[in-house]
Amino acid sequence: MFIIIVLLLVIGAVLFCMKPSINTLRKARFKSFEHSYIAHRGLHDNAHGVPENSMLAFRRAISCGFGIELDVRLTADGQLAVIHDENLKGVCGVDVNVGQTSYEELKTYPLMGTDERIPLLSDVLNEIDGRVPLIIEIKADRVFEDICSLTAKALEDYGGDVCIQSFSPYAVEWFKKHTPDILRGQLSMNFFDARHKRKESFPIKLILTLMLYNFKAQPDYIAYDYIAYNSPVMYIMRNIFGAETAGWTMVSQRCIDDLAGSKFDIVIFEGFMPREKENILY
């Protein structure tokens, strides 16, 4: 009996820590995200001259009516650069770190050998101008206050549907404390999956996989690796908490057909043209 009581207490504590925000009024604000597929890093085609996280990729997404997901990193001179990787080897072919470089230098490097350059978040916000839903991923490491503060400031006068998300629960919590009106999402996945090559310790992987910081960060939605849609964690989020969920990053129409609606409320896709728009591109 004692063991059963202890086990129930542990389960209860875990569920308490995992629980996200389930505010009905805030959840209703996701309708535009649910009704527009979200193009991961814009509607890019790296192999054919449309680099990820480029103004061209964002314009193509807007022209097709897709929402946009993008990444922001802080430069050495305090600018919000729209780029996924910390190092530019992959997208620009140079061994340069974003956080150690000024934006003036960063913008001199071509993206994927094209005429496109790394944009600033302010440029992207002006381009989107509320025409499609926008998800901003905060690339925050141990130091997150500055990038969170600058992102929040950049969104002060933005009138479109927007939310922020991050793998860092501390960044998500920052927005809860300082700009609670902005919708916020907790990015997560199975951190033990060898595909992701994570280097965190076992306890940290467990905390991040189970999202045991939700009780403090109170995310409005959970953005989870779509491959793990049937994991116990996602079952709990969907069926016990009734959380808003986003699946990243779906790579085929079959993924959307199988998972949209029943497993995920929001579709984040990449690398193909969803069926309803397939006659426009690719």
Side-chain angles (χ1 to χ4, degrees):
M1 181 62 70
F2 175 76
I3 294 176
I4 293 175
I5 292 174
V6 171
L7 183 60
L8 289 175
L9 288 174
V10 170
I11 293 173
V14 169
L15 290 176
F16 172 81
C17 292
M18 292 176 69
K19 185 180 179 181
S21 170
I22 48 176
N23 183 299
T24 303
L25 293 178
R26 292 178 71 85
K27 190 170 182 177
R29 293 169 58 189
F30 284 102
K31 291 301 180 185
S32 62
F33 294 90
E34 295 171 0
H35 296 160
S36 302
Y37 295 156
I38 310 298
H40 189 242
R41 306 180 195 173
L43 192 59
H44 65 83
D45 184 356
N46 290 336
H48 297 92
V50 186
E52 63 183 55
N53 277 326
S54 68
M55 294 300 289
L56 180 56
F58 300 141
R59 292 186 184 111
R60 298 186 93 172
I62 294 168
S63 71
C64 292
F66 292 127
I68 291 170
E69 183 271 354
L70 56 78
D71 311 275
V72 292
R73 288 187 177 276
L74 198 60
T75 67
D77 55 343
Q79 300 293 310
L80 292 171
V82 178
I83 185 168
H84 179 271
D85 297 344
E86 167 62 14
N87 190 280
L88 300 189
K89 283 183 180 179
V91 292
C92 297
V94 292
D95 188 9
V96 171
N97 290 329
V98 175
Q100 300 173 355
T101 311
S102 71
Y103 180 69
E104 286 299 310
E105 179 180 345
L106 290 176
K107 71 180 183 181
T108 64
Y109 301 117
L111 286 169
M112 301 289 185
T114 68
D115 293 333
E116 294 292 306
R117 297 294 192 271
I118 299 169
L120 289 172
L121 178 60
S122 56
D123 297 329
V124 180
L125 293 177
N126 288 334
E127 183 69 34
I128 299 174
D129 195 26
R131 288 180 286 174
V132 296
L134 172 63
I135 297 177
I136 300 173
E137 179 180 344
I138 308 294
K139 289 296 187 182
D141 298 314
R142 293 183 180 179
V143 180
F144 58 88
E145 290 88 351
D146 287 346
I147 190 170
C148 291
S149 177
L150 288 168
T151 302
K153 185 174 180 59
L155 293 174
E156 283 181 352
D157 299 320
Y158 185 72
D161 292 328
V162 63
C163 57
I164 67 92
Q165 63 182 21
S166 182
F167 279 104
S168 167
Y170 301 116
V172 179
E173 184 187 18
W174 187 97
F175 279 87
K176 171 184 175 288
K177 288 181 176 179
H178 298 280
T179 55
D181 192 54
I182 296 177
L183 294 171
R184 57 191 179 271
Q186 182 62 61
L187 273 163
S188 192
M189 59 188 178
N190 180 359
F191 281 78
F192 295 98
D193 190 327
R195 292 180 303 114
H196 301 304
K197 300 178 181 178
R198 304 298 301 195
K199 298 179 180 179
E200 294 89 350
S201 65
F202 180 91
I204 296 300
K205 286 182 178 179
L206 184 64
I207 290 170
L208 294 175
T209 298
L210 298 180
M211 293 172 283
L212 296 180
Y213 203 77
N214 280 355
F215 77 102
K216 292 202 69 177
Q218 286 292 284
D220 296 299
Y221 71 101
I222 304 300
Y224 216 80
D225 179 4
Y226 84 93
I227 291 175
Y229 71 91
N230 239 0
S231 67
V233 172
M234 287 310 297
Y235 180 88
I236 291 170
M237 291 299 164
R238 286 193 305 268
N239 298 294
I240 295 181
F241 297 137
E244 184 81 11
T245 58
W248 60 267
T249 302
M250 299 190 194
V251 294
S252 70
Q253 185 64 47
R254 182 175 180 180
C255 291
I256 293 177
D257 294 341
D258 290 347
L259 302 178
S262 61
K263 304 298 183 182
F264 293 104
D265 303 298
I266 299 169
V267 169
I268 302 175
F269 76 95
E270 181 178 53
F272 74 103
M273 176 60 67
R275 183 180 296 125
E276 62 187 55
K277 303 289 185 180
E278 63 187 3
N279 61 330
I280 300 178
L281 294 175
Y282 302 160

mmCIF file with all atom_site columns, all heavy atoms in Angstrom, residues 171-187:
data_model
loop_
_atom_site.group_PDB
_atom_site.id
_atom_site.type_symbol
_atom_site.label_atom_id
_atom_site.label_alt_id
_atom_site.label_comp_id
_atom_site.label_asym_id
_atom_site.label_entity_id
_atom_site.label_seq_id
_atom_site.pdbx_PDB_ins_code
_atom_site.Cartn_x
_atom_site.Cartn_y
_atom_site.Cartn_z
_atom_site.occupancy
_atom_site.B_iso_or_equiv
_atom_site.pdbx_formal_charge
_atom_site.auth_seq_id
_atom_site.auth_comp_id
_atom_site.auth_asym_id
_atom_site.auth_atom_id
_atom_site.pdbx_PDB_model_num
ATOM 1   N N   . ALA A 1 171 ? 12.920 30.837 -21.571 1.00 0.00 ? 171 ALA A N   1
ATOM 2   C CA  . ALA A 1 171 ? 12.495 31.886 -22.503 1.00 0.00 ? 171 ALA A CA  1
ATOM 3   C C   . ALA A 1 171 ? 10.968 31.977 -22.537 1.00 0.00 ? 171 ALA A C   1
ATOM 4   O O   . ALA A 1 171 ? 10.397 33.067 -22.551 1.00 0.00 ? 171 ALA A O   1
ATOM 5   C CB  . ALA A 1 171 ? 13.050 31.604 -23.894 1.00 0.00 ? 171 ALA A CB  1
ATOM 6   N N   . VAL A 1 172 ? 10.314 30.813 -22.553 1.00 0.00 ? 172 VAL A N   1
ATOM 7   C CA  . VAL A 1 172 ? 8.848  30.800 -22.548 1.00 0.00 ? 172 VAL A CA  1
ATOM 8   C C   . VAL A 1 172 ? 8.335  31.451 -21.263 1.00 0.00 ? 172 VAL A C   1
ATOM 9   O O   . VAL A 1 172 ? 7.389  32.256 -21.286 1.00 0.00 ? 172 VAL A O   1
ATOM 10  C CB  . VAL A 1 172 ? 8.311  29.364 -22.687 1.00 0.00 ? 172 VAL A CB  1
ATOM 11  C CG1 . VAL A 1 172 ? 6.785  29.351 -22.646 1.00 0.00 ? 172 VAL A CG1 1
ATOM 12  C CG2 . VAL A 1 172 ? 8.818  28.733 -23.985 1.00 0.00 ? 172 VAL A CG2 1
ATOM 13  N N   . GLU A 1 173 ? 8.959  31.130 -20.150 1.00 0.00 ? 173 GLU A N   1
ATOM 14  C CA  . GLU A 1 173 ? 8.559  31.724 -18.875 1.00 0.00 ? 173 GLU A CA  1
ATOM 15  C C   . GLU A 1 173 ? 8.777  33.231 -18.874 1.00 0.00 ? 173 GLU A C   1
ATOM 16  O O   . GLU A 1 173 ? 7.982  33.984 -18.283 1.00 0.00 ? 173 GLU A O   1
ATOM 17  C CB  . GLU A 1 173 ? 9.341  31.081 -17.722 1.00 0.00 ? 173 GLU A CB  1
ATOM 18  C CG  . GLU A 1 173 ? 8.905  31.588 -16.361 1.00 0.00 ? 173 GLU A CG  1
ATOM 19  C CD  . GLU A 1 173 ? 9.790  31.095 -15.221 1.00 0.00 ? 173 GLU A CD  1
ATOM 20  O OE1 . GLU A 1 173 ? 10.924 30.651 -15.494 1.00 0.00 ? 173 GLU A OE1 1
ATOM 21  O OE2 . GLU A 1 173 ? 9.335  31.174 -14.061 1.00 0.00 ? 173 GLU A OE2 1
ATOM 22  N N   . TRP A 1 174 ? 9.848  33.683 -19.535 1.00 0.00 ? 174 TRP A N   1
ATOM 23  C CA  . TRP A 1 174 ? 10.105 35.130 -19.590 1.00 0.00 ? 174 TRP A CA  1
ATOM 24  C C   . TRP A 1 174 ? 8.910  35.851 -20.215 1.00 0.00 ? 174 TRP A C   1
ATOM 25  O O   . TRP A 1 174 ? 8.468  36.896 -19.703 1.00 0.00 ? 174 TRP A O   1
ATOM 26  C CB  . TRP A 1 174 ? 11.372 35.415 -20.409 1.00 0.00 ? 174 TRP A CB  1
ATOM 27  C CG  . TRP A 1 174 ? 11.788 36.855 -20.357 1.00 0.00 ? 174 TRP A CG  1
ATOM 28  C CD1 . TRP A 1 174 ? 12.718 37.418 -19.549 1.00 0.00 ? 174 TRP A CD1 1
ATOM 29  C CD2 . TRP A 1 174 ? 11.246 37.936 -21.152 1.00 0.00 ? 174 TRP A CD2 1
ATOM 30  N NE1 . TRP A 1 174 ? 12.802 38.776 -19.784 1.00 0.00 ? 174 TRP A NE1 1
ATOM 31  C CE2 . TRP A 1 174 ? 11.910 39.113 -20.768 1.00 0.00 ? 174 TRP A CE2 1
ATOM 32  C CE3 . TRP A 1 174 ? 10.284 38.014 -22.148 1.00 0.00 ? 174 TRP A CE3 1
ATOM 33  C CZ2 . TRP A 1 174 ? 11.625 40.356 -21.326 1.00 0.00 ? 174 TRP A CZ2 1
ATOM 34  C CZ3 . TRP A 1 174 ? 9.996  39.251 -22.712 1.00 0.00 ? 174 TRP A CZ3 1
ATOM 35  C CH2 . TRP A 1 174 ? 10.660 40.413 -22.316 1.00 0.00 ? 174 TRP A CH2 1
ATOM 36  N N   . PHE A 1 175 ? 8.372  35.309 -21.302 1.00 0.00 ? 175 PHE A N   1
ATOM 37  C CA  . PHE A 1 175 ? 7.232  35.952 -21.950 1.00 0.00 ? 175 PHE A CA  1
ATOM 38  C C   . PHE A 1 175 ? 5.985  35.886 -21.072 1.00 0.00 ? 175 PHE A C   1
ATOM 39  O O   . PHE A 1 175 ? 5.171  36.805 -21.081 1.00 0.00 ? 175 PHE A O   1
ATOM 40  C CB  . PHE A 1 175 ? 6.976  35.318 -23.319 1.00 0.00 ? 175 PHE A CB  1
ATOM 41  C CG  . PHE A 1 175 ? 7.883  35.849 -24.382 1.00 0.00 ? 175 PHE A CG  1
ATOM 42  C CD1 . PHE A 1 175 ? 9.131  35.278 -24.594 1.00 0.00 ? 175 PHE A CD1 1
ATOM 43  C CD2 . PHE A 1 175 ? 7.516  36.935 -25.160 1.00 0.00 ? 175 PHE A CD2 1
ATOM 44  C CE1 . PHE A 1 175 ? 9.983  35.785 -25.565 1.00 0.00 ? 175 PHE A CE1 1
ATOM 45  C CE2 . PHE A 1 175 ? 8.366  37.449 -26.119 1.00 0.00 ? 175 PHE A CE2 1
ATOM 46  C CZ  . PHE A 1 175 ? 9.607  36.873 -26.330 1.00 0.00 ? 175 PHE A CZ  1
ATOM 47  N N   . LYS A 1 176 ? 5.827  34.818 -20.329 1.00 0.00 ? 176 LYS A N   1
ATOM 48  C CA  . LYS A 1 176 ? 4.702  34.725 -19.392 1.00 0.00 ? 176 LYS A CA  1
ATOM 49  C C   . LYS A 1 176 ? 4.768  35.849 -18.369 1.00 0.00 ? 176 LYS A C   1
ATOM 50  O O   . LYS A 1 176 ? 3.750  36.479 -18.044 1.00 0.00 ? 176 LYS A O   1
ATOM 51  C CB  . LYS A 1 176 ? 4.713  33.373 -18.688 1.00 0.00 ? 176 LYS A CB  1
ATOM 52  C CG  . LYS A 1 176 ? 3.707  33.252 -17.540 1.00 0.00 ? 176 LYS A CG  1
ATOM 53  C CD  . LYS A 1 176 ? 3.853  31.922 -16.839 1.00 0.00 ? 176 LYS A CD  1
ATOM 54  C CE  . LYS A 1 176 ? 2.935  31.842 -15.622 1.00 0.00 ? 176 LYS A CE  1
ATOM 55  N NZ  . LYS A 1 176 ? 3.415  32.701 -14.511 1.00 0.00 ? 176 LYS A NZ  1
ATOM 56  N N   . LYS A 1 177 ? 5.959  36.116 -17.858 1.00 0.00 ? 177 LYS A N   1
ATOM 57  C CA  . LYS A 1 177 ? 6.124  37.114 -16.809 1.00 0.00 ? 177 LYS A CA  1
ATOM 58  C C   . LYS A 1 177 ? 6.041  38.545 -17.329 1.00 0.00 ? 177 LYS A C   1
ATOM 59  O O   . LYS A 1 177 ? 5.441  39.415 -16.693 1.00 0.00 ? 177 LYS A O   1
ATOM 60  C CB  . LYS A 1 177 ? 7.478  36.915 -16.110 1.00 0.00 ? 177 LYS A CB  1
ATOM 61  C CG  . LYS A 1 177 ? 7.556  35.686 -15.219 1.00 0.00 ? 177 LYS A CG  1
ATOM 62  C CD  . LYS A 1 177 ? 8.924  35.612 -14.562 1.00 0.00 ? 177 LYS A CD  1
ATOM 63  C CE  . LYS A 1 177 ? 9.010  34.454 -13.586 1.00 0.00 ? 177 LYS A CE  1
ATOM 64  N NZ  . LYS A 1 177 ? 10.362 34.367 -12.948 1.00 0.00 ? 177 LYS A NZ  1
ATOM 65  N N   . HIS A 1 178 ? 6.667  38.787 -18.505 1.00 0.00 ? 178 HIS A N   1
ATOM 66  C CA  . HIS A 1 178 ? 6.866  40.165 -18.943 1.00 0.00 ? 178 HIS A CA  1
ATOM 67  C C   . HIS A 1 178 ? 5.895  40.629 -20.025 1.00 0.00 ? 178 HIS A C   1
ATOM 68  O O   . HIS A 1 178 ? 5.563  41.822 -20.083 1.00 0.00 ? 178 HIS A O   1
ATOM 69  C CB  . HIS A 1 178 ? 8.307  40.344 -19.420 1.00 0.00 ? 178 HIS A CB  1
ATOM 70  C CG  . HIS A 1 178 ? 9.325  40.098 -18.353 1.00 0.00 ? 178 HIS A CG  1
ATOM 71  N ND1 . HIS A 1 178 ? 9.646  41.036 -17.398 1.00 0.00 ? 178 HIS A ND1 1
ATOM 72  C CD2 . HIS A 1 178 ? 10.085 39.004 -18.069 1.00 0.00 ? 178 HIS A CD2 1
ATOM 73  C CE1 . HIS A 1 178 ? 10.569 40.549 -16.586 1.00 0.00 ? 178 HIS A CE1 1
ATOM 74  N NE2 . HIS A 1 178 ? 10.856 39.319 -16.973 1.00 0.00 ? 178 HIS A NE2 1
ATOM 75  N N   . THR A 1 179 ? 5.475  39.733 -20.908 1.00 0.00 ? 179 THR A N   1
ATOM 76  C CA  . THR A 1 179 ? 4.513  40.105 -21.952 1.00 0.00 ? 179 THR A CA  1
ATOM 77  C C   . THR A 1 179 ? 3.469  38.999 -22.068 1.00 0.00 ? 179 THR A C   1
ATOM 78  O O   . THR A 1 179 ? 3.412  38.279 -23.070 1.00 0.00 ? 179 THR A O   1
ATOM 79  C CB  . THR A 1 179 ? 5.213  40.325 -23.312 1.00 0.00 ? 179 THR A CB  1
ATOM 80  O OG1 . THR A 1 179 ? 5.968  39.140 -23.643 1.00 0.00 ? 179 THR A OG1 1
ATOM 81  C CG2 . THR A 1 179 ? 6.135  41.509 -23.285 1.00 0.00 ? 179 THR A CG2 1
ATOM 82  N N   . PRO A 1 180 ? 2.642  38.837 -21.052 1.00 0.00 ? 180 PRO A N   1
ATOM 83  C CA  . PRO A 1 180 ? 1.709  37.710 -21.014 1.00 0.00 ? 180 PRO A CA  1
ATOM 84  C C   . PRO A 1 180 ? 0.677  37.703 -22.129 1.00 0.00 ? 180 PRO A C   1
ATOM 85  O O   . PRO A 1 180 ? 0.086  36.653 -22.411 1.00 0.00 ? 180 PRO A O   1
ATOM 86  C CB  . PRO A 1 180 ? 1.039  37.864 -19.645 1.00 0.00 ? 180 PRO A CB  1
ATOM 87  C CG  . PRO A 1 180 ? 1.213  39.300 -19.279 1.00 0.00 ? 180 PRO A CG  1
ATOM 88  C CD  . PRO A 1 180 ? 2.529  39.705 -19.869 1.00 0.00 ? 180 PRO A CD  1
ATOM 89  N N   . ASP A 1 181 ? 0.455  38.827 -22.787 1.00 0.00 ? 181 ASP A N   1
ATOM 90  C CA  . ASP A 1 181 ? -0.541 38.866 -23.850 1.00 0.00 ? 181 ASP A CA  1
ATOM 91  C C   . ASP A 1 181 ? -0.080 38.135 -25.110 1.00 0.00 ? 181 ASP A C   1
ATOM 92  O O   . ASP A 1 181 ? -0.893 37.712 -25.926 1.00 0.00 ? 181 ASP A O   1
ATOM 93  C CB  . ASP A 1 181 ? -0.896 40.316 -24.198 1.00 0.00 ? 181 ASP A CB  1
ATOM 94  C CG  . ASP A 1 181 ? -2.128 40.396 -25.095 1.00 0.00 ? 181 ASP A CG  1
ATOM 95  O OD1 . ASP A 1 181 ? -3.174 39.826 -24.720 1.00 0.00 ? 181 ASP A OD1 1
ATOM 96  O OD2 . ASP A 1 181 ? -2.030 40.989 -26.188 1.00 0.00 ? 181 ASP A OD2 1
ATOM 97  N N   . ILE A 1 182 ? 1.236  37.994 -25.291 1.00 0.00 ? 182 ILE A N   1
ATOM 98  C CA  . ILE A 1 182 ? 1.761  37.297 -26.463 1.00 0.00 ? 182 ILE A CA  1
ATOM 99  C C   . ILE A 1 182 ? 1.595  35.788 -26.269 1.00 0.00 ? 182 ILE A C   1
ATOM 100 O O   . ILE A 1 182 ? 2.015  35.238 -25.250 1.00 0.00 ? 182 ILE A O   1
ATOM 101 C CB  . ILE A 1 182 ? 3.242  37.640 -26.695 1.00 0.00 ? 182 ILE A CB  1
ATOM 102 C CG1 . ILE A 1 182 ? 3.411  39.126 -27.008 1.00 0.00 ? 182 ILE A CG1 1
ATOM 103 C CG2 . ILE A 1 182 ? 3.816  36.803 -27.851 1.00 0.00 ? 182 ILE A CG2 1
ATOM 104 C CD1 . ILE A 1 182 ? 4.859  39.560 -27.170 1.00 0.00 ? 182 ILE A CD1 1
ATOM 105 N N   . LEU A 1 183 ? 0.991  35.123 -27.244 1.00 0.00 ? 183 LEU A N   1
ATOM 106 C CA  . LEU A 1 183 ? 0.846  33.675 -27.177 1.00 0.00 ? 183 LEU A CA  1
ATOM 107 C C   . LEU A 1 183 ? 2.220  33.012 -27.191 1.00 0.00 ? 183 LEU A C   1
ATOM 108 O O   . LEU A 1 183 ? 3.112  33.438 -27.933 1.00 0.00 ? 183 LEU A O   1
ATOM 109 C CB  . LEU A 1 183 ? 0.012  33.168 -28.351 1.00 0.00 ? 183 LEU A CB  1
ATOM 110 C CG  . LEU A 1 183 ? -1.454 33.610 -28.372 1.00 0.00 ? 183 LEU A CG  1
ATOM 111 C CD1 . LEU A 1 183 ? -2.104 33.216 -29.697 1.00 0.00 ? 183 LEU A CD1 1
ATOM 112 C CD2 . LEU A 1 183 ? -2.229 33.021 -27.199 1.00 0.00 ? 183 LEU A CD2 1
ATOM 113 N N   . ARG A 1 184 ? 2.372  31.961 -26.412 1.00 0.00 ? 184 ARG A N   1
ATOM 114 C CA  . ARG A 1 184 ? 3.694  31.337 -26.262 1.00 0.00 ? 184 ARG A CA  1
ATOM 115 C C   . ARG A 1 184 ? 3.570  29.824 -26.343 1.00 0.00 ? 184 ARG A C   1
ATOM 116 O O   . ARG A 1 184 ? 2.602  29.222 -25.863 1.00 0.00 ? 184 ARG A O   1
ATOM 117 C CB  . ARG A 1 184 ? 4.341  31.759 -24.947 1.00 0.00 ? 184 ARG A CB  1
ATOM 118 C CG  . ARG A 1 184 ? 3.487  31.433 -23.739 1.00 0.00 ? 184 ARG A CG  1
ATOM 119 C CD  . ARG A 1 184 ? 4.012  32.083 -22.458 1.00 0.00 ? 184 ARG A CD  1
ATOM 120 N NE  . ARG A 1 184 ? 3.118  31.745 -21.336 1.00 0.00 ? 184 ARG A NE  1
ATOM 121 C CZ  . ARG A 1 184 ? 2.052  32.459 -20.986 1.00 0.00 ? 184 ARG A CZ  1
ATOM 122 N NH1 . ARG A 1 184 ? 1.746  33.567 -21.637 1.00 0.00 ? 184 ARG A NH1 1
ATOM 123 N NH2 . ARG A 1 184 ? 1.299  32.069 -19.974 1.00 0.00 ? 184 ARG A NH2 1
ATOM 124 N N   . GLY A 1 185 ? 4.584  29.197 -26.938 1.00 0.00 ? 185 GLY A N   1
ATOM 125 C CA  . GLY A 1 185 ? 4.578  27.750 -27.102 1.00 0.00 ? 185 GLY A CA  1
ATOM 126 C C   . GLY A 1 185 ? 5.862  27.125 -26.608 1.00 0.00 ? 185 GLY A C   1
ATOM 127 O O   . GLY A 1 185 ? 6.947  27.721 -26.717 1.00 0.00 ? 185 GLY A O   1
ATOM 128 N N   . GLN A 1 186 ? 5.731  25.914 -26.075 1.00 0.00 ? 186 GLN A N   1
ATOM 129 C CA  . GLN A 1 186 ? 6.899  25.150 -25.650 1.00 0.00 ? 186 GLN A CA  1
ATOM 130 C C   . GLN A 1 186 ? 7.265  24.143 -26.727 1.00 0.00 ? 186 GLN A C   1
ATOM 131 O O   . GLN A 1 186 ? 6.492  23.251 -27.053 1.00 0.00 ? 186 GLN A O   1
ATOM 132 C CB  . GLN A 1 186 ? 6.621  24.412 -24.339 1.00 0.00 ? 186 GLN A CB  1
ATOM 133 C CG  . GLN A 1 186 ? 7.808  23.629 -23.813 1.00 0.00 ? 186 GLN A CG  1
ATOM 134 C CD  . GLN A 1 186 ? 8.998  24.530 -23.496 1.00 0.00 ? 186 GLN A CD  1
ATOM 135 O OE1 . GLN A 1 186 ? 8.910  25.420 -22.659 1.00 0.00 ? 186 GLN A OE1 1
ATOM 136 N NE2 . GLN A 1 186 ? 10.116 24.303 -24.178 1.00 0.00 ? 186 GLN A NE2 1
ATOM 137 N N   . LEU A 1 187 ? 8.432  24.304 -27.314 1.00 0.00 ? 187 LEU A N   1
ATOM 138 C CA  . LEU A 1 187 ? 8.958  23.336 -28.271 1.00 0.00 ? 187 LEU A CA  1
ATOM 139 C C   . LEU A 1 187 ? 9.548  22.158 -27.518 1.00 0.00 ? 187 LEU A C   1
ATOM 140 O O   . LEU A 1 187 ? 10.262 22.332 -26.525 1.00 0.00 ? 187 LEU A O   1
ATOM 141 C CB  . LEU A 1 187 ? 10.046 23.981 -29.126 1.00 0.00 ? 187 LEU A CB  1
ATOM 142 C CG  . LEU A 1 187 ? 9.605  24.720 -30.381 1.00 0.00 ? 187 LEU A CG  1
ATOM 143 C CD1 . LEU A 1 187 ? 10.726 25.626 -30.859 1.00 0.00 ? 187 LEU A CD1 1
ATOM 144 C CD2 . LEU A 1 187 ? 9.218  23.742 -31.475 1.00 0.00 ? 187 LEU A CD2 1
#
